[in-house]
């Protein structure tokens, strides 16, 4: 079974600064996907970034980038130039791709607060 | 991007009544939909996997008779909480899957059972 660990329950960052959210996972599989989802106070789940395990290049989406270390089973999210709208709960998630029934396994999440 | 509509966004009901929550994929066909439950400040807990035209697959510990799932078409799945009690109060979220490994989430339903 796959597990996802987010060991930091809360973090705080000053606006315009950079913050890194940690995530580790455990799997014996080699082909999988990793995700970071954002859940703002509205509680709508928003996909932040996705990484295919077979790709060595780290995914980036504007101010968001990941540091994917496959051997170490680590998948951290870096948010640059933090904005007040980044305040949310962030979930790291793992998916073993088995077709349409592929399930997401979520970490416990981390609450990020961006200070003005 | 793909849109998943979930309705209602908030429902209050009396203990003992049943509540139906709808999850629709608006601009794509979803072969599979997932239902999650989330308590405040906690992660999403997968309740069941719903496939169009077949019975849902429930996660361990989820009562099938309490949480009825119907996936009647490629764009609609429903979750019915039967004989709801205060302990069923929670935030329920659906997600829809496409074959290209895309997962899209509904906005969630807050259920309050009095």
């Amino acid at each position: 079974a796959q597990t996802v660990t987010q060991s930091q329950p809360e973090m705080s960052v000053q606006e315009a600064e950079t913050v890194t959210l940690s995530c580790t996972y455990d799997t014996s599989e080699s082909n999988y996907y990793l995700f970071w989802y954002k859940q703002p106070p509205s509680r709508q789940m928003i996909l932040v970034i996705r990484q295919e395990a077979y790709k060595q290049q780290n995914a980036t989406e504007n101010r968001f980038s990941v540091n994917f270390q496959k051997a170490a089973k680590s998948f951290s999210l870096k948010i640059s130039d933090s904005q007040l709208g980044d305040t949310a709960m962030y979930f790291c998630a793992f998916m073993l791709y088995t077709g349409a029934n592929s399930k997401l396994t979520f970490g416990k999440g981390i609450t990020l607060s961006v200070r003005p | 991007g793909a849109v998943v509509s979930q309705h209602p966004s908030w429902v209050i009901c009396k203990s003992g009544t049943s509540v139906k929550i709808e999850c629709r994929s608006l601009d794509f066909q979803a072969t599979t939909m997932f239902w999650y439950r989330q308590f405040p400040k906690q992660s999403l807990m997968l309740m069941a996997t719903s496939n169009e035209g077949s019975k849902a697959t429930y996660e361990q510990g989820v009562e099938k008779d309490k949480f009825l799932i119907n996936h009647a078409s490629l764009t609609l799945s429903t979750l019915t909480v039967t004989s709801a009690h205060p302990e069923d109060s929670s935030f329920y979220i659906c997600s829809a899957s496409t074959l290209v490994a895309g997962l899209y989430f509904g906005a969630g339903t807050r259920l309050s059972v009095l």
Side-chain angles (χ1 to χ4, degrees):
Chain A
Q2 286 67 231
T3 60
V4 178
T5 302
Q6 294 178 257
S7 56
Q8 308 154 301
E10 294 181 356
M11 286 193 77
S12 179
V13 64
Q14 193 73 33
E15 193 176 9
E17 298 292 309
T18 295
V19 64
T20 298
L21 311 183
S22 302
C23 173
T24 58
Y25 60 95
D26 190 26
T27 183
S28 59
E29 305 290 338
S30 59
N31 293 318
Y32 50 86
Y33 294 81
L34 294 164
F35 305 83
W36 278 97
Y37 280 93
K38 170 185 178 180
Q39 189 179 42
S42 68
R43 304 189 78 171
Q44 169 74 59
M45 293 288 283
I46 301 167
L47 176 63
V48 175
I49 202 164
R50 182 174 90 171
Q51 174 80 43
E52 291 89 341
Y54 64 86
K55 290 186 177 179
Q56 292 187 334
Q57 188 172 7
N58 288 325
T60 62
E61 285 289 342
N62 302 312
R63 298 183 295 108
F64 300 87
S65 62
V66 297
N67 183 1
F68 174 46
Q69 301 290 327
K70 191 172 183 178
K73 297 179 183 175
S74 170
F75 185 61
S76 61
L77 174 70
K78 185 172 81 171
I79 305 175
S80 304
D81 184 27
S82 296
Q83 299 176 1
L84 296 178
D86 294 334
T87 293
M89 200 159 182
Y90 287 81
F91 294 98
C92 178
F94 172 100
M95 184 173 75
L96 177 66
Y97 186 66
T98 56
N101 279 3
S102 302
K103 295 189 276 191
L104 282 171
T105 300
F106 287 95
K108 289 187 175 181
I110 178 172
T111 299
L112 176 67
S113 299
V114 180
R115 306 186 303 273
Chain B
V3 177
V4 176
S5 173
Q6 188 171 341
H7 179 80
S9 58
W10 193 1
V11 57
I12 302 173
C13 69
K14 293 182 178 180
S15 184
T17 61
S18 295
V19 173
K20 180 184 285 188
I21 302 169
E22 290 188 350
C23 181
R24 293 180 184 272
S25 56
L26 295 187
D27 50 2
F28 66 99
Q29 292 185 328
T31 54
T32 304
M33 291 186 176
F34 302 91
W35 288 95
Y36 303 86
R37 184 173 182 175
Q38 185 184 32
F39 292 104
K41 299 289 187 181
Q42 294 188 22
S43 189
L44 281 69
M45 181 190 78
L46 180 65
M47 299 174 66
T49 302
S50 166
N51 289 298
E52 186 266 337
S54 62
K55 290 185 178 181
T57 302
Y58 290 82
E59 296 299 303
Q60 192 172 8
V62 178
E63 298 176 60
K64 301 177 183 180
D65 296 332
K66 160 68 77 176
F67 300 101
L68 298 179
I69 292 173
N70 183 275
H71 195 153
S73 75
L74 285 171
T75 59
L76 174 64
S77 177
T78 60
L79 168 67
T80 301
V81 183
T82 62
S83 186
H85 288 96
E87 57 266 29
D88 299 323
S89 297
S90 190
F91 192 68
Y92 294 88
I93 306 174
C94 72
S95 71
S97 172
T98 71
L99 288 174
V100 291
L103 267 172
Y104 305 95
F105 286 84
T109 298
R110 182 188 299 180
L111 171 63
S112 299
V113 184
L114 304 178

